[in-house]
Amino acid sequence: MNRREFARLLAIGGAVPFVTPELSWARAAKLPPTPASPDEKFWLSVRDQFVMPKDLTMLNAANLCPSSGPVLDTLYKMTRDMDQDPSMDNRVKLGEGRENTRKLLAEFLRVTPEEIVITRNTSESNNLVSTGVDLKAGDEVLLTADNHPSNHTAWQQKAKRFGFTVTDVPVPNPHPGFDHYVEAFSKAITPNTKLIAFTHLTSTVGDLFPAKEICKLARDRGILTLVDGAQTFGLLDVDLSDIQPDFYSGSAHKWPCGPKENGVLYINKSAQSKIWASIYSAYPGSVGVSRSFEGFGQRDEPAMIAFGEALKLQTQIGRAQIERRSRELTQALIQGLKKIDGVKIWTSPEPSRAAAVLSFQPGGLDVRKLSTALYQKDRIGCATRGGQDRPGIRFSPHFYNTHADVEKTVAAIKKYMATGV
Ligand SMILES: Cc1ncc(COP(=O)(O)O)c(C=O)c1O
């Protein structure tokens, strides 16, 4: 049946035989091995692994990344396999695939599979911690003002319910440096502090926090730590065996470029006796904490397997190379934007205080209108921040972006700053 016949059948409301849809994305050429010093040609071949049209410049990794062709293929193939034969016998391999993803996650974060819970996203992971840790009246949780609602509003609401208190550690702008935060947390700790929940790299203006140092400070005082890694998982070459948090959360659909509704919660072995599961149901994971913590009922196992595929692609390219590339593109954007009169950059240009989340105020331009113009006229996707507190545009480039994207974007901002929107 051709497309016209198919449309005609739909229009007359007739029965439509199920046809296997053609895969509408082109198969990418095989990715070459990553050279020791990857050039633009190599990164263009990485870009080719994604199905986004060539003229679309996506600078919004902090919000949602595209899945690569290999991830889409796996998702489709596994879903089709399951729906062709949904018997329990056929689905044994899906359970094995989910455990394989747990292993890949553990390798990726340099911890053990026994410490990995596969969740739906960072929001769920953060909330599993704020609901699961036993806290009561008289206990205190330290937060930072720039935490995402899933790690800020959630704690505030649970404080109301369970009777503990929350205290915000202020987030000055520009980023005052790692020492400032170590001292600020050190001063804010009281004998009642039981947990510190902070964001590794903030989604607001891209401030990088000294995760290892804050976790050590807390550990030395018997305080638990939750590191929200939504903006570092899949961007930085994160090593949890070095950072040593009690809990770390992340989403597949952001920097790892995995499928939607998949995420991770790392629960350090030493913290597993200090957290309750929030959901008890069938089909938990097979090892370690996932046996008691991941009984979430029926899951979308094809998506979990595709999550593993996303991690494999990043590992194949090289995580240190991905971090380097995203940082390099961010620095190029900062250098370009700095030269435009009226642009105020909120993100620290100092690489040790930032990574690949960059936000700036484009003079007096209306940021909503500017972002619409960027998308509709220039095919550039970004995010906006309204209000009075560090308002502006947020760019978050990733390994699928190119220097041509950066040049096009800087030229577009320059044009709108000169002519208005
Ligand atoms: C720092 C941070 N934490 C948590 C989240 C929530 O992520 P998700 O919507 O994948 O749960 C976000 C989303 O942007 C974020 O930036």
Side-chain angles (χ1 to χ4, degrees), residues 106-112 115 212 215 219 237-245 248 266 268:
E107 276 165 30
F108 203 80
L109 293 169
R110 302 191 180 98
V111 290
T112 67
E115 296 168 299
K212 179 176 173 176
C215 289
R219 200 168 49 251
D237 194 3
V238 171
D239 180 351
L240 294 185
S241 71
D242 185 47
I243 298 175
Q244 293 191 51
Y248 176 89
Y266 161 76
N268 195 318

Side-chain angles (χ1 to χ4, degrees), residues 62 121-123 126 148 150 199 201 203 228 230-231 251 253-254:
N121 51 35
T122 311
S123 297
N126 288 343
H148 183 268
S150 61
T199 310
L201 177 68
S203 55
D228 179 331
Q231 302 300 347
S251 297
H253 70 82
K254 292 188 190 284

Side-chain angles (χ1 to χ4, degrees), residues 34-48 50 59 234-237 255 314 317-333 355-357 396-407:
T34 311
S37 307
D39 54 9
E40 208 59 18
K41 185 161 164 261
F42 172 76
W43 293 113
L44 281 168
S45 65
V46 170
R47 175 66 172 80
D48 285 344
F50 291 84
L59 292 173
L235 163 64
L236 304 188
D237 194 3
W255 303 88
Q314 284 215 340
I317 292 169
R319 295 187 38 219
Q321 293 288 14
I322 290 172
E323 173 175 343
R324 208 170 296 139
R325 172 67 171 179
S326 309
R327 284 176 171 280
E328 173 193 307
L329 294 170
T330 309
Q331 283 301 323
L333 275 167
V357 177
S396 38
H398 203 6
F399 64 138
Y400 44 70
N401 290 117
T402 61
H403 277 287
D405 288 335
V406 169
E407 281 155 29

Side-chain angles (χ1 to χ4, degrees), residues 62-64 120-126 146-151 199-204 228-231 249-254 261-262 394:
N63 169 234
L64 179 84
R120 271 194 313 144
N121 51 35
T122 311
S123 297
E124 185 170 70
S125 301
N126 288 343
D146 266 4
N147 280 5
H148 183 268
S150 61
N151 196 23
T199 310
H200 199 179
L201 177 68
T202 65
S203 55
T204 48
D228 179 331
Q231 302 300 347
S249 54
S251 297
H253 70 82
K254 292 188 190 284
E261 294 229 17
N262 261 258
R394 186 186 70 190

Side-chain angles (χ1 to χ4, degrees), residues 25-253:
W25 53 86
R27 285 293 180 313
K30 203 164 171 292
L31 193 62
T34 311
S37 307
D39 54 9
E40 208 59 18
K41 185 161 164 261
F42 172 76
W43 293 113
L44 281 168
S45 65
V46 170
R47 175 66 172 80
D48 285 344
Q49 302 298 305
F50 291 84
V51 302
M52 292 179 288
K54 293 240 185 298
D55 68 329
L56 182 63
T57 294
M58 278 312 304
L59 292 173
N60 197 20
N63 169 234
L64 179 84
C65 286
S67 290
S68 64
V71 169
L72 293 175
D73 284 346
T74 303
L75 187 59
Y76 177 70
K77 213 174 100 213
M78 298 313 297
T79 304
R80 188 183 54 187
D81 182 295
M82 181 170 84
D83 289 316
Q84 274 174 342
D85 178 357
S87 66
M88 288 183 131
D89 307 69
N90 186 43
R91 285 187 286 142
V92 167
K93 63 173 176 280
L94 298 182
E96 289 165 2
R98 161 184 173 170
E99 292 309 314
N100 189 47
T101 293
R102 190 183 319 285
K103 282 193 199 126
L104 291 166
L105 275 163
E107 276 165 30
F108 203 80
L109 293 169
R110 302 191 180 98
V111 290
T112 67
E114 285 75 17
E115 296 168 299
I116 297 290
V117 177
I118 306 176
T119 61
R120 271 194 313 144
N121 51 35
T122 311
S123 297
E124 185 170 70
S125 301
N126 288 343
N127 275 272
L128 288 171
V129 176
S130 52
T131 304
V133 173
D134 255 336
L135 293 168
K136 53 184 185 322
D139 293 338
E140 180 193 43
V141 173
L142 292 183
L143 307 172
T144 71
D146 266 4
N147 280 5
H148 183 268
S150 61
N151 196 23
H152 200 258
T153 313
W155 283 108
Q156 289 172 327
Q157 290 303 111
K158 288 167 205 189
K160 282 189 199 157
R161 179 175 169 199
F162 297 113
F164 59 87
T165 58
V166 288
T167 305
D168 277 346
V169 170
V171 179
N173 190 269
H175 191 312
F178 271 23
D179 290 349
H180 168 90
Y181 281 114
V182 178
E183 209 184 313
F185 275 102
S186 185
K187 280 192 185 147
I189 289 172
T190 71
N192 297 331
T193 308
K194 294 288 181 300
L195 190 143
I196 297 177
F198 65 98
T199 310
H200 199 179
L201 177 68
T202 65
S203 55
T204 48
V205 297
D207 284 342
L208 188 61
F209 274 69
K212 179 176 173 176
E213 291 78 358
I214 296 173
C215 289
K216 174 160 181 4
L217 177 75
R219 200 168 49 251
D220 289 349
R221 289 164 176 71
I223 297 168
L224 294 169
T225 43
L226 164 61
V227 180
D228 179 331
Q231 302 300 347
T232 52
F233 174 52
L235 163 64
L236 304 188
D237 194 3
V238 171
D239 180 351
L240 294 185
S241 71
D242 185 47
I243 298 175
Q244 293 191 51
D246 289 294
F247 312 105
Y248 176 89
S249 54
S251 297
H253 70 82

Side-chain angles (χ1 to χ4, degrees), residues 289-418:
V289 73
S290 77
R291 288 155 62 103
S292 53
F293 210 88
E294 202 185 287
F296 296 148
Q298 181 60 52
R299 308 293 301 273
D300 184 354
E301 281 157 337
M304 295 164 109
I305 296 169
F307 186 8
E309 201 60 35
L311 303 177
K312 281 196 233 161
L313 181 69
Q314 284 215 340
T315 306
Q316 181 193 335
I317 292 169
R319 295 187 38 219
Q321 293 288 14
I322 290 172
E323 173 175 343
R324 208 170 296 139
R325 172 67 171 179
S326 309
R327 284 176 171 280
E328 173 193 307
L329 294 170
T330 309
Q331 283 301 323
L333 275 167
I334 291 179
Q335 292 315 315
L337 292 172
K338 247 172 53 180
K339 294 191 193 121
I340 304 173
D341 274 350
V343 165
K344 176 164 181 43
I345 299 178
W346 300 117
T347 309
S348 174
E350 175 59 52
S352 64
R353 299 179 190 185
V357 177
L358 157 66
S359 83
F360 65 98
Q361 186 169 14
L365 293 183
D366 179 315
V367 291
R368 290 279 343 142
K369 281 194 193 153
L370 175 57
S371 110
T372 304
L374 285 171
Y375 178 67
Q376 290 183 351
K377 300 193 180 139
D378 306 280
R379 301 279 285 151
I380 297 168
C382 63
T384 58
R385 179 179 166 90
Q388 297 301 310
D389 174 23
R390 298 158 296 165
I393 295 278
R394 186 186 70 190
F395 290 143
S396 38
H398 203 6
F399 64 138
Y400 44 70
N401 290 117
T402 61
H403 277 287
D405 288 335
V406 169
E407 281 155 29
K408 167 179 147 181
T409 303
V410 171
I413 298 295
K414 195 169 173 188
K415 172 182 76 183
Y416 293 119
M417 286 295 287

